[in-house]
Each structure stands twice: as structure tokens, then as C-alpha cells.
Amino acid sequence: MVRIYHREADDVEADLALLCHAGMDVTALDAATATLAGTLRARHYHRARCAVSLADCVASATAIMHGRPLATADPALAELLRAEHGEIVGLPDSNGRLP
């Protein structure tokens, strides 16, 4: 939000706080989740076939560790989660395709 939409970091934090009150989960990154994120990145990343970012891997690790689904329109992220037996909620991309 800050980098792409040029929002102030404090405003983004305030928006996230509102979402938390509306039911969104915000979780601190612990050592086990961080380690799993690194493992997922090492196991799945490929520049052409599966271009998942470290942030994607953190989101995936968090969902897996907490046994929660992850909503995504990203095919590479969905592929990673399926390979790791995680649960996804597929969102349509700009062409209406589900991952």
C-alpha cells in the first residue's frame, strides 16, 4: 500500500487495525513460522515455474501453521499451498479465472 499506492505507513496501520476489529486475523511472526516460510521458499521457488515471493511464503506458512485457509488469486501461491496440503480460497483474477 505504501510503495504502490503511496499511502502513509501510519494510515495503512490504522486501516489494518480497523480490519482486525472486523474479524481479520493479524498474527506475529514467530520463529517456527519464519523457518517454515524459508523452507517453503527454498522448496518451491522457481523464477519461471513458481515465482512465489518471500511474503507469499510467510502468508502460506502462517496459514499452514494456524490451520487456516488462505485467499489468493495467484496461481503460483495456490500451487504451493496445494503441494503443502494447505487450504486455499480461490479468488478470481482480472479475467475471472480461479487459481
Side-chain angles (χ1 to χ4, degrees):
M1 297 296 292
V2 173
R3 181 175 56 86
I4 294 173
Y5 296 107
H6 308 290
R7 302 266 321 274
E8 293 294 323
D10 289 341
D11 292 342
V12 173
E13 284 186 42
D15 290 346
L16 289 173
L18 288 174
L19 289 172
C20 290
H21 292 307
M24 183 175 117
D25 291 336
V26 174
T27 305
L29 188 62
D30 60 24
T33 306
T35 300
L36 178 58
T39 300
L40 294 174
R41 172 82 171 181
R43 189 180 297 159
H44 294 280
Y45 176 79
H46 184 275
R47 182 178 51 85
R49 285 192 322 270
C50 192
V52 289
S53 68
L54 185 55
D56 290 336
C57 293
V58 169
S60 298
T62 301
I64 291 166
M65 295 291 284
H66 292 274
R68 304 291 300 267
L70 182 64
T72 185
D74 184 335
L77 182 52
E79 177 185 327
L80 180 154
L81 279 164
R82 287 185 185 109
E84 295 293 331
H85 308 289
E87 184 181 349
I88 68 159
V89 174
L91 301 175
D93 65 13
S94 58
N95 293 315
R97 292 180 299 237
L98 295 172

